[in-house]
């Protein structure tokens, strides 16, 4: 990022538009382009318009961020001190970085851990052996480092991939299985102990999801819940346990899986009034496709519940230099935001040169790849595409109305707490496309190159 861009999230002077651009086959990465100028719409201009309707308000943004996994922590720790600081600054520095404030971590192990581990010893029904000692080695230091750099707006939510093996029907953390009914209360009590232990380490938990990918039987850490089982667990065990321990303020989310079933899971959870009172919202992943309309269906039926994107990544190992990866991120973030999503978290913030470590070989890409053999930090296209949202749409921003003249362009618009409007425009086509920003009776001419993303900032 250049120095000019690093200095501010603000709009340009009145009557002008600040334009930040990332484009394929160029060196432009969050590059400051010449400012645009507004002119009066005296002739009633009709063509190539992107309209901004800032008197219409939709959802408020909690923030953007990624997952602070053991894999990310271990990888960062292998880098030189200068490279470690570069990565932390790139994500979390509020002036030089891309503005991450909202992060996810895992309760016990996940696939992006070095191996299976639980917080209690096998068979410990009383949870007397509970400890987060494993997390003190790498995970908690990374979380504290990120939080310190991000500042007061930092929020952390946590998700379990599996209960301890003895609590499950299959007797192992991997390969799915279910939570045994007789251990539902003990598992809920472990959530509380986790929150308390992290608080003792100086890390407050902002939110929890009940189960990562509640429908998936995976070769790694996993556990299956039906919609009824998940809802009943929150109603009868997790919700009351948090409240009794003084943590009723922690936000609870259900599902934490793909969007194709987000509506059905929402109906099951939110139409039970006793369960619903403990549930803040529903979170989801992208691996089964767009299904943006399903998000609006949830909002339309349950407007008081939050919609939250909790995980997405490019599967299949590292994709060095791929532009399609960035465009996948841009398209999905735009679609989610335009259908009532209030928060967004990527998967691993950093992975190594193989796309790991991962204890079952489920290697993936990340926005930053840290080559632990050469001490090189590699920024994938996804890093810059995410930044066009996370850096310029700040916590507390409100989505406002917008429309565009062609579906070859994708766009969303937000009004930040300081009054700055952030308009994000995405072009995934092979041709440059013209457009004219129209706002409060004024026009500004612009164009976006092929395979590019822009953020426009104005008042």
């Amino acid at each position: 990022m250049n120095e000019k861009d690093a200095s501010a999230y603000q709009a340009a002077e009145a009557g002008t538009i600040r334009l930040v651009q990332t484009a394929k086959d160029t060196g432009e990465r969050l590059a400051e382009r010449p400012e645009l100028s507004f002119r009066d719409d005296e002739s009633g201009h009709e063509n190539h318009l992107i309209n901004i309707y800032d008197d219409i308000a939709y959802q408020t943004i909690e923030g953007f961020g990624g997952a602070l996994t053991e894999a990310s922590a271990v990888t960062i720790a292998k880098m030189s001190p200068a490279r470690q600081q570069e990565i932390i600054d790139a994500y979390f520095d509020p002036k030089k970085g891309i503005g991450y404030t909202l992060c996810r971590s895992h309760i016990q192990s996940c696939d992006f851990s070095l191996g299976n581990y639980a917080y209690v010893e096998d068979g410990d029904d009383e949870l007397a052996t509970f400890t987060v000692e494993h997390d003190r080695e790498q995970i908690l230091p990374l979380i504290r480092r990120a939080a310190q750099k991000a500042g007061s707006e930092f929020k952390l939510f946590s998700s379990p991939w599996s209960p301890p093996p003895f609590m499950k029907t299959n007797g192992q953390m991997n390969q799915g299985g279910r939570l045994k009914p007789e251990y539902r209360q003990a598992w809920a009590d472990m959530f509380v102990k986790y929150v308390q232990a992290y608080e003792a380490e100086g890390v407050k938990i902002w939110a929890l999801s009940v189960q990562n990918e509640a429908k998936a039987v995976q070769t790694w850490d996993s556990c299956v819940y039906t919609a009824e089982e998940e809802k009943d667990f929150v109603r009868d065990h997790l919700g009351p346990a948090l409240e009794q321990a003084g943590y009723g303020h922690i936000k609870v989310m259900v599902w934490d899986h793909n969007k194709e079933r987000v509506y059905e899971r929402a109906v099951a959870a939110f139409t039970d009034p006793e369960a619903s009172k403990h549930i803040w919202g529903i979170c989801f992943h992208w691996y089964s496709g767009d299904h943006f309309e399903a998000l609006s269906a949830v909002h339309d039926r349950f407007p008081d519940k939050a919609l939250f994107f909790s995980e997405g990544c490019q599967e299949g190992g590292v994709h060095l230099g791929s532009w399609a990866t960035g465009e996948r991120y841009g398209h999905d973030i735009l679609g989610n935001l335009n259908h009532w999503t209030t928060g967004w978290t990527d998967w691993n913030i950093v992975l190594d040169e193989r796309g790991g470590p991962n204890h079952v070989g489920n290697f993936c890409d990340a926005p930053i790849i840290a080559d632990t053999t050469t001490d090189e930090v590699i920024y994938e296209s996804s890093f810059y595409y995410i930044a066009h949202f996370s850096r310029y749409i700040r916590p507390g921003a409100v989505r406002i109305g917008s429309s565009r003249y062609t579906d070859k362009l994708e766009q969303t618009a937000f009004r930040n707490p300081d009054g700055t409007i952030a308009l994000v425009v995405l072009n995934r086509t092979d041709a440059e496309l013209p457009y004219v920003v129209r706002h409060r009776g004024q026009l500004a001419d612009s164009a976006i190159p092929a395979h590019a993303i822009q953020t426009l900032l104005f008042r």
Side-chain angles (χ1 to χ4, degrees), residues 144-441:
R144 283 193 289 262
R145 197 169 180 181
Q148 182 179 23
K149 181 61 66 172
S152 61
E153 292 180 321
F154 182 82
K155 297 175 181 175
L156 182 72
F157 84 95
S158 299
S159 309
W161 267 242
S162 173
F166 71 90
M167 293 187 182
K168 296 176 64 183
T169 56
N170 67 346
Q172 59 173 311
M173 297 188 80
N174 303 340
Q175 303 290 345
R178 297 177 183 274
L179 177 64
K180 293 179 179 179
E182 61 267 32
Y183 284 112
R184 288 173 182 166
Q185 188 58 52
W187 183 224
D189 292 342
M190 278 192 67
F191 278 80
V192 173
K193 285 183 173 292
Y194 169 83
V195 171
Q196 292 170 333
Y198 264 54
E199 191 170 74
E201 297 287 333
V203 175
K204 291 186 177 181
I205 302 300
W206 169 74
L208 297 162
S209 73
V210 177
Q211 170 63 45
N212 176 72
E213 297 188 346
K215 180 178 171 290
V217 176
Q218 304 283 25
T219 58
W220 55 85
D221 322 62
S222 48
C223 185
V224 175
Y225 287 75
T226 66
E228 290 296 313
E229 288 169 340
E230 185 176 34
K231 175 259 296 182
D232 291 350
F233 174 69
V234 176
R235 182 192 65 201
D236 300 334
H237 302 283
L238 180 59
L242 289 169
E243 285 195 352
Q244 290 166 15
Y247 295 113
H249 61 280
I250 292 178
K251 302 178 187 304
V252 175
M253 296 180 283
V254 294
W255 187 222
D256 209 350
H257 204 172
N258 292 325
K259 285 180 274 185
E260 90 287 340
R261 284 176 173 79
V262 70
Y263 178 78
E264 291 86 350
R265 298 295 286 223
V267 169
F270 302 151
T271 55
D272 182 325
E274 289 303 306
S276 182
K277 71 181 184 181
H278 296 294
I279 303 170
W280 176 68
I282 188 164
C283 54
F284 48 87
H285 304 177
W286 73 7
Y287 303 108
S288 65
D290 288 350
H291 295 286
F292 301 134
E293 298 83 359
L295 304 181
S296 283
V298 173
H299 175 267
D300 291 346
R301 184 160 178 187
F302 307 104
D304 61 327
K305 298 299 186 181
L307 288 152
F308 192 99
F309 181 85
S310 53
E311 183 187 313
C313 75
Q314 181 61 50
E315 313 93 320
V318 175
H319 296 255
L320 288 182
S322 168
W323 203 258
T325 300
E327 291 191 335
R328 182 184 184 188
Y329 273 86
H331 169 72
D332 196 73
I333 296 171
L334 271 165
N336 292 336
L337 292 176
N338 284 339
H339 291 81
W340 296 96
T341 294
T342 61
W344 187 92
T345 51
D346 188 29
W347 192 204
N348 304 275
I349 61 166
V350 177
L351 291 173
D352 67 18
E353 60 276 7
R354 295 184 65 197
N358 184 290
H359 71 87
V360 291
N362 180 36
F363 300 117
C364 295
D365 203 3
I368 291 180
I369 296 298
D371 192 324
T372 61
T373 65
T374 64
D375 199 41
E376 181 183 6
V377 176
I378 302 165
Y379 296 86
E380 298 280 53
S381 62
S382 52
F383 176 85
Y384 299 103
Y385 272 73
I386 294 167
H388 276 270
F389 302 90
S390 64
R391 193 154 202 258
Y392 305 108
I393 300 171
R394 304 305 300 155
V398 176
R399 182 166 65 93
I400 57 177
S402 63
S403 65
R404 85 278 197 200
Y405 75 96
T406 175
D407 61 6
K408 293 179 181 178
L409 291 176
E410 299 166 67
Q411 97 297 331
T412 194
F414 283 78
R415 182 174 54 246
N416 280 301
D418 69 353
T420 299
I421 291 175
L423 167 65
V424 182
V425 182
L426 174 67
N427 178 10
R428 294 187 293 154
T429 76
D430 294 330
E432 178 179 276
L433 294 171
Y435 64 90
V436 180
V437 179
R438 180 172 172 267
H439 176 235
R440 294 189 176 182

